[in-house]
Amino acid sequence: MDLKFSDREEAFRQEVKAFLDEAWPAEKRGSKTEFTRDNYLDWHRKLHARGWIAPAWPEEYGGTGWTPTQRYIFDKECAAADAFPILPFNISMVGPVIYTFGSDEQKERFLPPTLSGDIWWCQGYSEPGAGSDLASLRTRAVRDGDDYIVNGSKTWTTLAQYADWIFCLVRTDPNAGKKQQGISFLLIDMKSPGITVRPIITLGGDHEVNEVFFENVRVPADNLVGQENQGWTYAKFLLTHERSNIAGVHQSWRALDRLKQIAADKDLYGDAPSLMEDADFVRRIAETEIDLTALEFTELRALAREESGGGMGPESSLLKIRGTEIQQRISHMFLDAAGTYGLPFQRELGHKEAPPSNSQVGPDFAVETAARYFNMRKTTIYGGTNEIQRNIIAKMILGL
Amino acid sequence: MDLKFSDREEAFRQEVKAFLDEAWPAEKRGSKTEFTRDNYLDWHRKLHARGWIAPAWPEEYGGTGWTPTQRYIFDKECAAADAFPILPFNISMVGPVIYTFGSDEQKERFLPPTLSGDIWWCQGYSEPGAGSDLASLRTRAVRDGDDYIVNGSKTWTTLAQYADWIFCLVRTDPNAGKKQQGISFLLIDMKSPGITVRPIITLGGDHEVNEVFFENVRVPADNLVGQENQGWTYAKFLLTHERSNIAGVHQSWRALDRLKQIAADKDLYGDAPSLMEDADFVRRIAETEIDLTALEFTELRALAREESGGGMGPESSLLKIRGTEIQQRISHMFLDAAGTYGLPFQRELGHKEAPPSNSQVGPDFAVETAARYFNMRKTTIYGGTNEIQRNIIAKMILGL
Amino acid sequence: MNFDLTDEQEMIRESLSRFLRDRYDFEARGKIIRSEAGWNPEVWGQLAELGLMAVPFAEAHGGLDGGPTDIMVVMEELGRALVVEPYLPTVVLAGSILQAVGGTVAEELIPQIAGGELVMGLAYAEPRSRYDLFHVETTAEKTGDAYALAGHKSVVLAAPLAGRLIVSARTDGGTRDRDGIGLFLVDPQADGVTVKDYRTIDGFAAGDVILDKAPATLIGTQGEGLALLEMAVDRGIIACAAEMTGLAKRMTELTVDYTRQREQFGVPLSKQQVLQHTMADMFMAGEEMKSMAVRATALADADPEERAKAAAMAKVFIGKTGKFVGEAAVQLHGGMGITEEMAIGHYFMHATMLDTLFGNRDYHQRRYEMLTGLRKDAA
Amino acid sequence: MNFDLTDEQEMIRESLSRFLRDRYDFEARGKIIRSEAGWNPEVWGQLAELGLMAVPFAEAHGGLDGGPTDIMVVMEELGRALVVEPYLPTVVLAGSILQAVGGTVAEELIPQIAGGELVMGLAYAEPRSRYDLFHVETTAEKTGDAYALAGHKSVVLAAPLAGRLIVSARTDGGTRDRDGIGLFLVDPQADGVTVKDYRTIDGFAAGDVILDKAPATLIGTQGEGLALLEMAVDRGIIACAAEMTGLAKRMTELTVDYTRQREQFGVPLSKQQVLQHTMADMFMAGEEMKSMAVRATALADADPEERAKAAAMAKVFIGKTGKFVGEAAVQLHGGMGITEEMAIGHYFMHATMLDTLFGNRDYHQRRYEMLTGLRKDAA
């Protein structure tokens, strides 16, 4: 047992750091780069140019051939530099489905733009009213000559407003016995006539998710991935495929660092004692650091098992549960640090549901704290609620 | 709305205090009186002599006619004086069943010694392997002339080793449709041939509960309470009857007082800072005081509803859940206060299961802390686990 | 002991509850919080007609001679309906101070409040004061009988709607001295007053108030404003405890309803034992919160130390349990819980902000420890 | 990074695990803890034959040249079987000090430990020291080359069984000074030494040691004992983290088994979703505990500050999660869980005591805050 990084791993870390200093320099760090379509794509393309956009892919399709430990180091350094986390839709979701189950023609057509960012994918899984019961989907795709005609709707579609294409689960055989049967995996151009996108505004005013409606949308049958009615297999593959950084450990460490800086920033407190002189706040930080350390080493142990071929499996539920619990705790500490200045709504959101925002008050860091705390509630809901993750542990690991 | 005690209530409090100063004077307080059969009966008899042993009973059977608020005051003052809480078996359990469902002959025969303490009752409800599923009981009573012949066993029988009589649920009709049917309520003399008592030693070495075995025990049919096969009705009546002080609020306040004294006792710390100078310990005390205040006023509101005829009902589950959670927290704080001296086992228990205890070390208060913490785990298990109490709230109050 | 409401109190509760059901549903509220004004003066007038603004004031000032219990009844109902109209700053915060000060200022302003004509705000916080009421950097300079204020007041509820503000400012002493603080009446329309207005994230109109030689009138005794301020803020906290109770009970109802309707894997969510237990815990939290609100209300008129202890306790408790109930309610609503489209998220946001308002859980926990002597140090 | 055990370590685990399954089941253990002696020298000898006592020591002293990882493997297995034999005080606590000191004392004693012939104890706590290792009231007076100790040492594990004790005593400085503390070798049979022996509530032989002009030999450098003591206790803590992992995993297994067998209302308890989630949380706690044990083990040989931080962190974490797992296991066993008749209660008792041993959760949380500079004050 040896928990030190090897010389080779240490050299790799230096390589990553050097890349980040150039591609994501200091002036972009510290939440100074707003998340927009262009800013995100700029970063995506820099990683792509360096050949690092899809570390976990097989090398023949554009992967890096890194060990899980290298990926861990890469993720950690990127988080320490405040770089945008890579969105899962292209790299962890549709890409692996296409290179695993797609036709050669599909691989050739879709993989390069998926890697380069020329296609921005979004995910068409959830449907209104279905919640975590994904397989109960009702969006229909009916074969009509060389096309499918798609009718229905998808929801919680993250960043659909930016997307070029959507990968969808659709029902192609409504008469199949079990609800998991008769589902197909379809790639759909978002510019197809009959598609409309309705923004869903979340607490604090963010527009991150959408509902996507399909009304007689014509989709070439060439866009079917794999076999008709076998979509559930690919969907399950996708759900269990990429677990790297599922716990968000690196982002949480980085957030704690920022929180400690804020809590010690004398300018914010003047003659009053700073938050770092408040024993209760210090205790909360220390507890979180200790819990985060336990989580980090649990993830490292899981990565090591993966590296030695053991696979991750249902243990990933542990990482998801604990990771999201800690992210939520940290977002609450930020809110507490903002104090009264957590209350004002002063974000420029540019959509009609947002209440009027007229003035800028309080310290910069405080502006987003409440909205972020609200937004982080999603982490224990999306991707299978934490209740469902506990069901999985009980069933799959403990055999209950 | 007026939360002050009325002049009449204030006068009553003084009356109770005066009684306690005489019946349970200072030299008995502060855990200085060991719980033994004789010590307990001495206290029971003093209350009986004063006419205060059964405040909640109807006056015709020996009750005091107090309002719920008076009973609250009485309980609070008794706890503040460290007096033994009155055991439920005579006063809250079998007594009310007898005066509600018993024959005139049974009332005459049993109520006076039940009040006076001349009969010490124990409860024969739970059976091995049944847990909270009381109705699944298997102890049989078969009619034979003027007697029943009882065979079977009961468990978790508190202080059976002291008891003169046991009130038992027995199955008189094994062929009844539902398991709740065919059960009868029988009074059995513990001196009857065929009864044996096996001690159950709990964590920390206490002998508080027992298993009671019945082997062809002959019980006169006169000792059947109410109708044959209707016992479940009486059992349910008993379970929902007496809820006074179910939360143990007064005992918890008293325990917190003692804990604060200990934590501030300079003799225990010498040159080292006392526990009351430890911000984390202080925070835990303060949190518990605040939670206990919330519970106390929830109990007072429930008592007021009872007083105005609203009845307590399933809200008593709340009092049980929160009360036991707080009792357990306090017992853990005592253990933490004892520090290293929580470890030594140095109790004289006088039974063979106890490990050898050779030496007396550390402060007096520390001796019982670990055993008490272990023992308090029972509070969330006995009387319907806290899980079952939450089921009750979900079903009976929220209609889920 | 007696926990019963009087017939008059039951009447207030019923008429207010009926009015809000009819006129202040989720949709109506949505329009108000997205409007430029951020409140609905018509609703305000109707609430005044119901007698709401007059509740705690003396009959001589056009009031109904009510007490803390009446405020509790009102606040719990306002909480249930998530009302953003400025009742707390006007009637509870400013109203408590005016009533305590009495004299001509009370005679002039209370009838206007009671009649629904005047909205007020209490400007006590500052950018670096955190939750310490005694931390006052704003200065009050006396010239003749008049004062001129200079400083920056943070997050003043109702500031953009108010006809008058009560402002804490220092005539004497250092930034964090308990002495030397006065309370001043300021007209926000006057020269030297700038209101940087915004909406709070939970939908309330508020603003920062910048004072630059702003003309002001002293109310109460010079240098002794802190006691009044503490009283008003404790009253505000106690009112919030009742409001949080309303929020919590409504969140529990909404969650019970939602989980009964919503099926997953062919079964209503409400049949999952884990969710049942969470809802049982939500119910318990609501009941205990109510108990704390009742207790603090009963001590709202007690001596300052008892009142302060009761308020601190209640604030700790509603902060903790309000967070629990809000988070649980959102979690059980799943994705729908975090959209602006369902009421539950708005309850959750307001419950969260009520923890921050007047000082969060940690702050009042510390305050309780100091007030009870459990903690001796000043840190 | 590499979390793998070596083949030798896997072998130790397997042979120890097999031995304990065969020879140290619940019944066998029960006989030991109720015996007058409180341990089983025969078992001790067999464990020594397996090489257990030799694990961390140098080959020159008859050891196996193992390291902290080997100790981790051993302690986790000892935890799984709830072994009360004095491995921790002898091999980990005293062993660490002897190894670090080296010289003639190591040459004399380590071979005896490695051979299973010598049990030792470390006497560091005092009645008023709470968990502060530097709080030493016991004095050491020098006369010629010899020392005479006077004082009272609390709750010394294995004291009644030990052939030698290592005792902290002060040659210099005030009660709570970090300097002036020495470590001394004491023969508990000597004049001037009284061992007030007892059993800990979780079944371990221990005692208070009263020293009255007890003859003693200094080991290490006079006045610089604290660093050695801190090292040994941190090693002890790290060993306990592994032991707690063994306890937690075993408690989870026992609870899973019990709830699957036990029916209530006609259904196995294991089918109740609320209990399933509790067991999922127990599983997670065990996994995370293991991670903390692994991490602390990897830092057991690091510089004192890193080692101390890792030990403090691990102790906080196993204190918190061990309490959770123990309480949950008992709760899910229902009434049976709190009797002495089932193993689960004994695991719970030992898990509870491991939180107290070497300092509880609050203490090490504070220590972590000080070591990391999060907290500046000394309070």
Side-chain angles (χ1 to χ4, degrees), chain B residues 181-245:
Chain B
Q181 295 166 343
I183 292 172
S184 297
F185 193 104
L186 213 52
L187 310 178
I188 306 179
D189 190 333
M190 289 291 282
K191 289 184 295 294
S192 313
I195 292 184
T196 47
V197 174
R198 183 182 77 85
I200 299 176
I201 305 302
T202 50
L203 302 180
D206 283 303
H207 173 201
E208 203 175 77
V209 289
N210 303 271
E211 229 173 322
V212 181
F213 298 91
F214 300 85
E215 204 185 329
N216 294 321
V217 177
R218 198 162 273 278
V219 181
D222 285 348
N223 294 0
L224 176 75
V225 177
Q227 306 281 309
E228 196 178 74
N229 296 330
Q230 297 304 308
W232 187 248
T233 313
Y234 318 142
K236 273 199 310 187
F237 164 85
L238 183 159
L239 286 173
T240 57
H241 182 69
E242 171 67 1
R243 297 300 187 171
S244 167
N245 202 20

Side-chain angles (χ1 to χ4, degrees), chain B residues 127-134 156 179 198-206 209 211 266-273 275 277-281 283-284 328 332 335-347 352-363 367 370-371 373-375 377-378 380-382 385-388 391, chain D residues 33-37 124-132 135 137 152-155 157 175-176 195-203 207-208 262-266 272 274-275 278 323 327-328 330-342 344-346 348-350 352-353 355-358 360-363 365-366 369 375 379:
Chain B
E127 297 195 0
S132 294
D133 183 7
L134 278 186
W156 312 128
K179 63 184 173 182
R198 183 182 77 85
I200 299 176
I201 305 302
T202 50
L203 302 180
D206 283 303
V209 289
E211 229 173 322
K266 268 302 192 184
D267 287 351
L268 296 176
Y269 304 97
D271 297 336
L275 259 188
E277 294 163 70
D278 174 334
D280 292 318
F281 197 79
R283 175 179 44 79
R284 288 165 68 189
Q328 292 183 344
H332 191 253
L335 181 60
D336 276 344
T340 311
Y341 275 121
L343 279 94
F345 184 88
Q346 38 186 334
R347 309 170 72 213
K352 70 178 171 30
E353 282 79 4
S357 163
N358 299 322
S359 313
Q360 170 80 37
V361 296
V367 173
Y373 167 66
F374 299 143
N375 189 266
R377 305 313 306 167
K378 76 182 175 195
T380 51
I381 294 170
Y382 287 1
T385 65
N386 282 16
E387 286 81 5
I388 284 184
N391 288 349
Chain D
I33 64 171
R34 279 190 294 273
S35 70
E36 260 318 308
Y124 58 90
E126 300 194 358
R128 299 194 289 195
S129 70
R130 222 168 148 76
Y131 307 118
D132 291 325
H135 182 122
E137 301 183 29
H152 180 160
K153 291 294 180 181
S154 306
V155 194
L157 287 178
T175 302
R176 291 171 63 76
V195 176
K196 298 174 77 168
D197 72 307
Y198 44 79
R199 212 58 53 77
T200 64
I201 198 158
D202 49 342
D208 276 27
R262 185 79 158 71
E263 297 211 345
Q264 206 162 79
F265 303 106
Q272 293 200 31
V274 160
L275 308 190
T278 301
K323 177 172 187 287
E327 291 185 351
V330 167
Q331 181 73 19
L332 267 59
H333 275 76
M336 292 307 298
I338 56 170
T339 70
E340 298 230 334
E341 298 173 13
M342 283 191 79
I344 195 71
H346 295 265
F348 167 57
M349 288 198 285
H350 188 44
T352 302
M353 289 302 136
D355 179 35
T356 288
L357 192 65
F358 303 132
N360 68 354
R361 179 183 168 189
D362 280 355
Y363 181 82
Q365 165 100 25
R366 178 74 56 105
E369 291 166 8
R375 185 195 285 261

Side-chain angles (χ1 to χ4, degrees), chain C residues 169-236:
Chain C
R170 189 171 281 292
T171 51
D172 222 342
T175 301
R176 290 170 64 77
D177 284 351
R178 294 185 60 86
D179 293 328
I181 297 166
L183 297 182
F184 298 87
L185 206 61
V186 170
D187 179 349
Q189 306 298 326
D191 282 351
V193 184
T194 313
V195 176
K196 298 174 79 169
D197 71 307
Y198 44 78
R199 213 57 53 78
T200 63
I201 200 159
D202 49 343
F204 288 72
D208 275 29
V209 178
I210 315 296
L211 303 154
D212 182 14
K213 299 189 192 139
T217 316
L218 176 71
I219 55 178
T221 311
Q222 182 175 328
E224 293 176 12
L226 186 61
L228 275 175
L229 192 56
E230 287 178 336
M231 180 276 296
V233 167
D234 279 345
R235 292 283 185 91

